[in-house]
Amino acid sequence: MKIFNSMSRQKEEFVPIEPGKVRMYACGPTVYNLIHVGNARPIILFDVLRRYLEYRDYQVTFVQNFTDVDDKIIKRANEEGITSQEVAEKYIQEYFTDAEGLGVRAATIHPKATENMEQIIAMVQTLIERGYAYPVENGDVYYRTLKFQGYGKLSHQPIEDLQSGARIAVGDVKENPLDFALWKSAKPGEPAWDSPWGPGRPGWHIECSAMSNRYLGKTIDIHCGGEDLQFPHHENEIAQSEAANNCEFVHYWMHNGFLNIDNRKMSKSLGNFFTVREAAAAYGYETIRLFMLSAHYRTPLNYSAEILQQAQNSLDRLYSAADNLKYLVENGGEGALNQAETDVIATFGGYRERFDAAMDDDFNTANAVSVLFELVRAVNSATAADNQPTRAGAQACLDMIHELTKVLGLLYSRQEENLDDKVEQMIADRQAARAAKNWAEADRIRDELKAMGIELKDTKQGVQWKKC
Ligand code: AMP
Ligand code: ZN
């Protein structure tokens, strides 16, 4: 399995620190508003990366943080007249709504900056003790960038270039313009935590170093994020973690390319964005997922109505193939496999190999998706009505499709709900509520059923229901 490492700018064979285990960290969202489709790109891609590693029998510990204290959150809180914690909690819930819609599994751990203050403060303190950081009079603490030997190694910028571009601002309290804040002293009305340097809050970069260290250890296998995070965020994370721990921070750095709109990065600041919520309302969440997987994660990807429409059509084809096979599993011939089925099943190993080869080649989901759709075409023609498909043949084809869609995280959204089971469960809940003399709850369930168009009738045989 090869991964393009942004540090070496080469594809490298993946060798985990501990055999059979992968520790990966992704920089998560700052929770102050709904995520846009650009933000969804890393979220979807790193979910597939994790699924593929699991398919390859690795035990994956995946940490994705929430930045829940930050200028933008504070601004939002002031605008809405609520606390920044309330803003963060609200948008964490909104994040999970979108992530679930997109078929993105929750990470193993979703730590929050505000729940890791002790670890953050301890790391800042270590950096001061080691001479890599200094507090200033106003209570801020800065990282002494020039002291860290490898600064610029990830973004491939010589320190001289960085220095020539940096200017010290009037009234700046830093020793050097390249120094960055580890701790910011509290301003009136801002959330603050006690620290050895007075009340304040952490800078953005330190939280990822502290949380990665806490949950995954000093050296991790994979760290990922969008390519805009390479500098300064990831460069600063390296400077912090490697200076504090005196060892390599990350073995493989992975960065996704931008989602563009009219060839410009989709972003909040440019205002050229669609929220995931808006795009999902127009095309469906799963269409967005398939659209993202149809390009290699490092290439730029353009967002347009036409491309989303195409993705939606492709998804329809995938669902109709699966639905047709499901129907045949129930209603196909009882007998042994026919010739067309035997032939197509014989090709499955080849599809599997090509799928794995695509994913092993730096997670080329674009090629993997092509293999899936070739498989769909082959299966469709092998199980066409003229061939008198069998139940056994349909089941084998359906299993093969599921094998690949499970890795990509597709075919999850259009499951037909089994109405009978759901109604029976609600009736049972209502009976239990009545037995407990909880009339309000019993009435609530009856009303809910009514809203679903279900009418209840009490009979000697028990409660019966019908659609009205
Ligand atoms: P932000 O909200 O800008 O902090 O971004 C959160 C995550 O989304 C980071 O990993 C960014 O790199 C990523 N991101 C933001 N905009 C885009 C975009 N247009 N295309 C791809 N990734 C993006
Ligand atoms: Zn980070």
Side-chain angles (χ1 to χ4, degrees):
M1 187 185 304
K2 287 203 154 56
I3 296 183
F4 183 90
N5 189 346
S6 313
M7 182 69 89
S8 66
R9 294 196 170 167
Q10 278 174 1
K11 284 184 194 169
E12 295 175 13
E13 187 61 33
F14 178 66
V15 184
I17 297 166
E18 208 179 320
K21 295 201 171 147
V22 179
R23 286 170 244 173
M24 60 185 264
Y25 185 98
C27 298
T30 303
V31 278
Y32 70 105
N33 54 16
L34 294 177
I35 58 168
H36 62 65
V37 183
N39 302 138
R41 192 169 188 195
I43 293 167
I44 293 168
L45 291 167
F46 300 130
D47 178 66
V48 173
L49 167 64
R50 173 199 197 181
R51 286 170 190 258
Y52 186 66
L53 290 165
E54 288 177 352
Y55 165 80
R56 282 293 171 125
D57 289 331
Y58 287 105
Q59 190 191 323
V60 182
T61 309
F62 177 37
V63 176
Q64 185 188 295
N65 67 305
F66 286 116
T67 299
D68 63 344
V69 54
D70 153 281
D71 288 339
K72 290 182 266 217
I73 299 174
I74 295 169
K75 185 163 174 273
R76 185 88 196 213
N78 290 338
E79 283 163 7
E80 295 193 12
I82 54 178
T83 65
S84 55
Q85 196 187 347
E86 285 167 327
V87 172
E89 284 306 322
K90 172 167 183 229
Y91 289 104
I92 286 172
Q93 289 317 313
E94 299 288 14
Y95 166 85
F96 281 121
T97 301
D98 284 331
E100 200 178 302
L102 293 167
V104 169
R105 288 161 51 199
T108 320
I109 308 162
H110 278 288
K112 299 174 195 154
T114 57
E115 290 172 357
N116 285 270
M117 284 300 161
E118 207 181 303
Q119 288 72 19
I120 290 170
I121 290 169
M123 196 174 231
V124 174
Q125 224 157 358
T126 305
L127 289 168
I128 294 175
E129 281 158 21
R130 289 177 166 251
Y132 284 95
Y134 55 95
V136 297
E137 217 165 305
N138 71 1
D140 292 351
V141 181
Y142 291 97
Y143 189 93
R144 193 171 272 132
T145 302
L146 291 181
K147 180 161 167 81
F148 182 68
Q149 288 304 312
Y151 197 78
K153 64 183 174 180
L154 176 66
S155 50
H156 300 263
Q157 305 183 78
I159 194 79
E160 299 75 33
D161 290 6
L162 290 168
Q163 275 182 293
S164 69
R167 294 273 174 277
I168 200 106
V170 181
D172 211 332
V173 289
K174 297 189 288 188
E175 290 177 0
N176 185 288
L178 288 182
D179 295 351
F180 57 90
L182 297 174
W183 187 261
K184 300 175 180 181
S185 61
K187 298 197 189 73
E190 287 187 355
W193 287 260
D194 284 335
S195 82
W197 321 285
R201 62 190 165 95
W204 171 38
H205 315 297
I206 192 73
E207 70 176 79
C208 288
S209 285
M211 291 192 257
S212 180
N213 190 45
R214 176 174 183 188
Y215 297 102
L216 296 169
K218 291 180 176 165
T219 304
I220 69 170
D221 294 296
I222 301 174
H223 191 118
C224 36
E227 69 183 14
D228 52 342
L229 297 188
Q230 251 180 50
F231 186 84
H233 185 54
H234 289 161
E235 203 71 71
N236 292 352
E237 283 187 34
I238 294 172
Q240 295 162 161
S241 296
E242 298 195 349
N245 294 330
N246 212 11
C247 60
E248 194 183 2
F249 176 35
V250 170
H251 281 181
Y252 301 87
W253 284 95
M254 295 180 72
H255 293 99
N256 65 276
F258 290 142
L259 179 87
N260 292 332
I261 190 155
D262 298 326
N263 297 313
R264 294 181 79 187
K265 179 194 174 195
M266 183 182 281
S267 76
K268 288 266 155 60
S269 53
L270 291 173
N272 61 347
F273 65 90
F274 290 100
T275 62
V276 167
R277 217 50 76 78
E278 289 167 327
Y283 306 103
Y285 275 113
E286 197 172 354
T287 299
I288 302 172
R289 186 174 180 103
L290 179 57
F291 157 71
M292 294 292 183
L293 300 184
S294 305
H296 187 269
Y297 74 90
R298 282 189 290 116
T299 59
L301 173 61
N302 219 43
Y303 180 94
S304 73
E306 291 85 342
I307 300 176
L308 266 290
Q309 194 57 58
Q310 278 171 21
Q312 195 170 31
N313 295 344
S314 301
L315 193 63
D316 288 345
R317 273 192 283 133
L318 184 58
Y319 270 97
S320 42
D323 288 345
N324 184 43
L325 291 170
K326 268 189 225 160
Y327 175 82
L328 292 172
V329 168
E330 302 281 322
N331 303 290
E334 298 273 7
L337 299 176
N338 64 39
Q339 192 59 46
E341 289 165 348
T342 309
D343 290 348
V344 81
I345 290 169
T347 67
F348 285 175
Y351 284 102
R352 199 176 281 128
E353 270 171 32
R354 286 171 55 220
F355 181 88
D356 291 359
M359 294 296 281
D360 279 345
D361 182 14
D362 190 29
F363 306 97
N364 194 329
T365 57
N367 287 352
V369 166
S370 302
V371 173
L372 170 66
F373 279 91
E374 277 178 49
L375 171 71
V376 165
R377 271 195 298 278
V379 160
N380 279 346
S381 66
T383 57
D386 292 352
N387 292 337
Q388 295 175 328
T390 67
R391 294 177 185 211
Q395 186 66 62
C397 292
L398 189 59
D399 289 347
M400 185 62 215
I401 287 181
H402 280 155
E403 195 178 314
L404 305 191
T405 54
K406 188 167 172 231
V407 179
L408 299 172
L410 293 170
L411 282 183
Y412 64 89
S413 65
R414 298 192 201 166
Q415 240 77 299
E416 256 197 33
E417 199 173 27
N418 189 333
L419 186 65
D420 296 37
D421 287 353
K422 182 161 185 198
V423 171
E424 295 297 347
Q425 183 59 50
M426 287 173 72
I427 290 173
D429 291 347
R430 178 168 167 267
Q431 296 298 85
R434 283 162 67 104
K437 299 199 181 346
N438 185 350
W439 311 116
E441 172 66 358
D443 287 349
R444 191 195 62 74
I445 296 173
R446 194 199 50 219
D447 291 346
E448 196 182 324
L449 284 163
K450 206 167 171 188
M452 290 164 60
I454 305 292
E455 202 173 74
L456 300 183
K457 213 167 106 190
D458 287 301
T459 70
K460 282 199 191 109
Q461 288 76 36
V463 184
Q464 290 185 344
W465 62 277
K466 64 170 187 178
K467 282 191 179 176
C468 55

